Amino acid sequence: MNEAIKLEYTISDDDFTRAGEASGDLKDKLKKMGVDPAVIRKVVIAMYEGEINMVIHANGGKITVTITTDEIIMELADKGPGIPDVKLAMQEGFSTAPDNIRSLGFGAGMGLPNMKKYSDEMTVETQQGVGTTVTMKVKL
Amino acid sequence: MTVNDIKELLDAKVLCCEEFLSNEVHTACGSDMMSDVLAFVKDQSVLITGLCNPQVIRTAEMMDITCIVFVRGKVPDEMTLQLAKERNMPVLSTARKMFEACGILYTNGLSGGKEN
C-alpha cells in the first residue's frame, strides 16, 4: 500500500438504529485489506463509540478515515453543541445522555474514555455552539 | 464450550445462524449496558443480555463476539435478527433470567476473561 486510502462516511442525524453502519463497513474493508484483527478491533470500537456519540449528542456529522502504511486516522467532525468541559467528559461514568438513550444500552459515560482507550492517540477540538472534531490514530 | 453447549445448558432456542453452533466460546460477558461491553475486549465471548435492539448486534460485531444470548425469553425484532444473519452472528433466546444464565455458564466452566 503506497498511497493513503481515504474513506468518508456521513452519519445521519437521529437514526439510532443505523448508528454503527459506518464502523461495520470499515471493519469489512479493513478485513479485506488484510489488516491485523487486533488493530481492526481497536479501530472499529473507537469509531463505533464515536458514531454513537455523534448520533446522541450532535445530530450526526462526517467521519473521514485515512489509512496509511503505518497508521489509521479517524476524524469525526460534527456541528453539534460542543463539549463544555472536555476533562469532565473524559471521566469514566460522566454522561449527559438522556434517559431514552440509556434505555438503549448507551449513555454510561464510557464513550470518550473508550475512544481514548482503544486509540493510540486522540485529540478533541471543541467549541460551544460550533461543533466538535475528534481525531483518533491507531498504529498499524 | 461450544455455542451448542450453551444452547443445551440454557435450554435456549436458536433464532438464527444455526450453522455456527459448533463455534468455540471461551469467555462470557453479561450486561444490558453496551458501553460497558465495549470497555472490555475478550476473545471468543458470548454476550448475555436482556437488551433487545440492533445496537446489541452492532456491539457484538465490533467486539468479535461469538454469539448472543437474550435472557428472560426475549426475542428481538425482525430487523435486529436480519442484521445478525448478515453478520453471521448466532442468536439464542433462553427463558432463564440474566443471573441464572450467567451462573449456569460460570459453573460449567466459562469465565469472565481478563480485564484488558
Side-chain angles (χ1 to χ4, degrees):
Chain A
M1 188 161 51
N2 294 323
E3 287 179 29
I5 296 169
K6 195 166 264 198
L7 303 166
E8 288 188 342
Y9 298 97
T10 301
I11 309 304
S12 61
D13 53 357
D14 58 356
D15 191 353
F16 191 76
T17 59
R18 291 187 61 195
E21 275 185 7
S23 305
D25 181 79
L26 179 65
K27 183 176 185 182
D28 289 343
K29 288 196 165 79
L30 293 176
K31 257 188 191 172
K32 279 182 191 155
M33 286 177 203
V35 175
D36 176 0
V39 172
I40 295 178
R41 190 148 64 175
K42 286 171 71 178
V43 168
V44 298
I45 294 171
M47 182 156 134
Y48 179 53
E49 286 280 19
E51 244 189 291
I52 295 281
N53 271 353
M54 288 169 100
V55 175
I56 296 174
H57 299 290
N59 305 315
K62 196 172 152 186
I63 300 179
T64 308
V65 181
T66 309
I67 305 155
T68 71
T69 48
D70 52 9
E71 63 185 358
I72 297 174
I73 306 159
M74 294 162 277
E75 188 189 85
L76 290 72
D78 69 60
K79 293 187 172 66
I83 306 169
D85 186 339
V86 175
K87 204 175 161 194
L88 191 59
M90 290 302 301
Q91 282 180 17
E92 285 190 7
F94 177 81
S95 175
T96 58
D99 285 347
N100 66 318
I101 295 299
R102 288 175 207 267
S103 68
L104 292 168
F106 288 89
M110 295 299 287
L112 279 168
N114 274 351
M115 287 160 75
K116 189 171 172 63
K117 177 178 171 178
Y118 289 111
S119 53
D120 294 312
E121 200 182 314
M122 181 172 108
T123 56
V124 181
E125 288 168 52
T126 186
Q127 201 178 338
Q128 278 186 271
V130 178
T132 300
T133 298
V134 179
T135 307
M136 297 180 283
K137 292 182 182 177
V138 176
K139 293 199 188 331
L140 287 172
Chain B
M1 188 180 289
T2 64
V3 176
N4 194 58
D5 293 332
I6 293 172
K7 170 187 172 273
E8 298 292 326
L9 285 166
L10 300 181
D11 194 20
K13 287 181 196 151
V14 182
L15 302 181
C16 76
C17 303
E18 201 146 355
E19 62 271 36
F20 299 112
L21 289 188
S22 59
N23 285 2
E24 283 283 334
V25 177
H26 297 159
T27 58
C29 176
S31 181
D32 287 351
M33 286 306 293
M34 294 302 107
S35 304
D36 282 344
V37 176
L38 286 163
F40 304 105
V41 175
K42 290 161 188 154
D43 281 324
Q44 292 177 276
S45 249
V46 50
L47 171 61
I48 305 143
T49 186
L51 187 72
C52 242
N53 67 41
Q55 294 311 328
V56 175
I57 312 294
R58 297 267 184 221
T59 300
E61 180 195 353
M62 304 309 160
M63 301 296 289
D64 293 327
I65 275 170
T66 306
C67 87
I68 299 168
V69 178
F70 290 105
V71 293
R72 303 193 296 277
K74 289 191 177 185
V75 174
D77 61 19
E78 195 46 46
M79 183 195 167
T80 302
L81 275 181
Q82 186 55 40
L83 188 60
K85 284 177 200 164
E86 285 169 17
R87 311 315 287 189
N88 295 328
M89 180 71 65
V91 175
L92 313 183
S93 176
T94 176
R96 299 279 190 186
K97 297 180 184 79
M98 168 81 92
F99 181 74
E100 289 174 329
C102 293
I104 290 166
L105 296 180
Y106 185 81
T107 51
N108 279 277
L110 272 192
S111 76
K114 289 177 190 163
E115 194 171 320
N116 204 24

